[in-house]
């Protein structure tokens, strides 16, 4: 996206983090609506388990995209 078109590393990293955060927050919101969960249980069940994988995925994307022309 727009953040990745920037040549600044902090902007690229922030873009990856924001994209992951938006996805996780929408998933948590859906979990709260569909399962009737409160905020904290939905965060624990719907966000925390996916943070390590999101970090690995964002790291892989960053490394691969750095090598592209």
């Amino acid at each position: 996206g727009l953040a990745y078109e920037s040549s600044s590393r902090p902007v690229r990293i922030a873009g990856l983090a924001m994209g992951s955060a938006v996805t996780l927050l929408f998933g948590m919101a859906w979990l709260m609506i569909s399962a009737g969960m409160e905020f904290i249980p939905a965060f624990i069940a719907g966000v925390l388990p996916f943070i390590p994988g999101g970090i690995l995925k964002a790291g892989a994307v960053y490394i691969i995209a750095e090598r592209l022309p």
Side-chain angles (χ1 to χ4, degrees):
L2 293 175
Y4 230 84
E5 293 176 7
S6 171
S7 61
S8 169
R9 283 184 178 182
V11 172
R12 287 181 171 189
I13 292 168
L16 288 168
M18 298 261 310
S20 294
V22 167
T23 303
L24 290 172
L25 290 177
F26 272 102
M28 185 181 82
W30 181 249
L31 187 59
M32 290 172 68
I33 292 167
S34 65
M37 296 177 85
E38 296 293 326
F39 181 84
I40 298 297
F43 182 80
I44 291 170
V47 174
L48 286 182
F50 298 99
I51 290 175
I55 291 170
L56 288 173
K57 181 172 59 174
V61 167
Y62 185 83
I63 291 168
I64 291 168
E66 281 275 306
R67 299 185 194 299
L68 295 176

